[in-house]
Structures are given as structure tokens and as C-alpha cells.
Amino acid sequence: MTDEVKRFTEGLRRSEANYRGIFEHALEGVYQSSLEGRFLKANPALARILGYDSPDELIAAITDIRHQFYVHPLDRDTLLGAIANQQQAFGFETEVYRRDGSTIWVLLSARLRRDRADDPGIIEGFITDITSRKRAEEALAESRNFLDEIIDSFGDPMFVKDSRHRWVLLNKAFCSVMGRPRHELLGRSDHDFFPVAEAEIFWAKDEMVLATGRENTNEEFLTDGQGVKRTILTRNSLFVD
């Protein structure tokens, strides 16, 4: 019996050491918090992400997670609601405060842990800093808006098609000729709107550009959104990313 107790105790000690090593050296922030809004445990990575010198300093400083941690306090209510309904929440993006008052974006995953039936439980989870990704997404959105404004300033119809002949970028002049809003045209093709004979010609010319990479200029017919047949001059060229 004594030997069995020793082996059991040694196993617990090794398990605790392994857990502590993972907790202390994880690259992601790891934490436990009360439902009332206090951090109970935090690892060094979380302290570093939030700009604190140590986990103890973080735990002592943040006494009200809802208002001191979340930039938008209602986000905590949303997270708690998800945990209450499903016992867990994954991939929750929110903006939080750092120690110096600056803000960062984080990806938060959490679950509710109960040890007994009458235990209100604690929240434990992971936090990853995704500020760089969010800023890149914002910069991309700004670039896309800038591109849209540029092509919309041209009086001539302009479009971009993908390799499956679907419109992926259009300017206002093209939408005007088609007599349809942009959202009805994006993702569609010539066959969805033009008479069969016209659509086949447009399709064949586009295939030639895709196959050869050579620019193609054509004088051809197009039936617009009002049913009027126009004579147009088109110039198609290949763009390779």
C-alpha cells in the first residue's frame, strides 16, 4: 500500500510539473477568471500581451474585467452568454486595453469549468494578440475602397473577371450600362444577362485572352439593360497575380 501511495504521489507531482511548464511557457495568454470578473490565474504570456511585468501585477491591477479589460464592456456579456448557452466559446474577437491605456485586438477562446454540481464555476481560456492581422485587414479594406473610388471615377465601363468568367470587380459606368446594381452582377457571368449569341462571343474572346495572355481589342454588339443593342469597343487584357 505504501508503494502504491508513493507511485500515485509521484504521478501527481509529474503531472503538476508538466501542467506548470505548459502554463508558464505557452506563447498564448492563458488565464482563469471568476464569473464576477476577477482574474484568478494568468501566465507570463498574458502579462506580456497586456503590458504587465508579471502575472501577479496583472491580477492585482485588473479587478473589474468588464470595464478595465474590455474596450466595449458589452462584449463580455456576449461572451458570457455564449459560455452559458454552450459551456464554451471559440474564436471570439474583441478589443481590449493594455496597461498603458492603448488598445489591441485579441482572439479569445474560453470555457466554463465546474468541479461540483453546486459550484458556480470559473472561466478558463486562451488569448492571442491578433492586432497585426486586424490592421492588415483594415489596410486592405482601405485599399479596396480606394481602388473602387478610382475605377468609379472613369466614365467608360470597366470590369474584372476571374478565370471562370465571373465578374469580380465593376465600376458604376458598367452597372449603368447593365441597368443593374453592382451586387446583382458580382459573381455572375455574361450568360446570365446577354442573349446567347452575344454571351458566346464574349466568352470565346475572354477564353482567348486567358489562353494566350495577349491583349484583345474588339468591336462587337452588346444588348444593354434596357434592351438596346449597342456597338461597343472592348479591350481585354490578362492580369496575373
Side-chain angles (χ1 to χ4, degrees):
M1 180 64 73
T2 302
D3 291 341
E4 189 69 24
V5 170
K6 286 182 179 179
R7 285 195 295 271
F8 180 73
T9 303
E10 180 63 20
L12 285 179
R13 189 192 64 78
R14 287 197 299 268
S15 295
E16 174 65 21
N18 289 337
Y19 166 78
R20 177 58 56 184
I22 293 171
F23 184 79
E24 293 292 337
H25 300 297
L27 297 179
E28 291 183 313
V30 184
Y31 74 94
Q32 289 182 343
S33 70
S34 67
L35 292 174
E36 293 75 24
R38 293 281 311 247
F39 281 114
L40 304 174
K41 291 183 180 180
N43 71 338
L46 183 57
R48 183 175 64 253
I49 288 170
L50 298 180
Y52 291 90
D53 293 330
S54 69
D56 289 340
E57 184 184 34
L58 183 158
I59 292 170
I62 301 179
T63 59
D64 181 358
I65 289 176
R66 190 175 194 274
H67 295 98
Q68 292 177 270
F69 179 70
Y70 288 92
V71 174
H72 308 288
L74 289 178
D75 283 355
R76 175 165 170 79
D77 298 338
T78 302
L79 179 68
L80 290 178
I83 292 175
N85 292 330
Q86 305 173 16
Q87 303 299 304
Q88 59 190 5
F90 293 102
F92 185 79
E93 295 185 5
T94 185
E95 200 172 6
V96 302
Y97 290 112
R98 300 186 82 240
R99 178 186 179 186
D100 60 6
S102 61
T103 63
I104 58 173
W105 280 92
V106 298
L107 185 71
L108 194 154
S109 296
R111 74 180 184 99
L112 181 66
R113 195 191 81 186
R114 285 192 175 98
D115 294 329
R116 306 183 308 274
D118 60 345
D119 185 358
I122 62 172
I123 297 172
E124 54 187 15
F126 299 89
I127 292 177
T128 304
D129 185 349
I130 58 169
T131 305
S132 297
R133 193 200 82 193
K134 293 292 287 189
R135 288 176 178 167
E137 290 174 352
E138 291 170 0
L140 182 61
E142 290 177 3
S143 297
R144 180 58 183 265
N145 290 336
F146 182 58
L147 176 61
D148 287 344
E149 290 178 4
I150 290 176
I151 69 167
D152 277 341
S153 69
F154 289 102
D156 290 331
M158 295 180 62
F159 62 85
V160 177
K161 293 178 180 176
D162 64 15
S163 60
R164 296 172 61 184
H165 301 252
R166 299 171 302 187
W167 291 304
V168 296
L169 188 65
L170 307 165
N171 70 346
K172 288 181 179 178
F174 186 87
C175 296
S176 179
V177 168
M178 296 296 293
R180 294 176 181 270
R182 194 181 320 235
H183 71 269
E184 289 186 8
L185 300 171
L186 289 174
R188 309 288 290 278
S189 72
D190 298 316
H191 283 288
D192 294 314
F193 300 100
F194 299 120
V196 174
E198 290 181 13
E200 289 294 338
I201 292 174
F202 298 151
W203 194 280
K205 297 295 177 60
D206 291 342
E207 275 294 319
M208 184 168 60
V209 173
L210 289 169
T212 66
R214 293 196 297 269
E215 185 177 282
N216 183 266
T217 301
N218 299 290
E219 185 176 293
E220 49 204 0
F221 296 107
L222 177 149
T223 303
D224 66 19
Q226 287 72 44
V228 177
K229 180 167 286 193
R230 302 180 181 220
T231 302
I232 61 171
L233 184 70
T234 62
R235 187 178 66 187
N236 299 339
S237 56
L238 183 66
F239 173 76
V240 180
D241 187 353

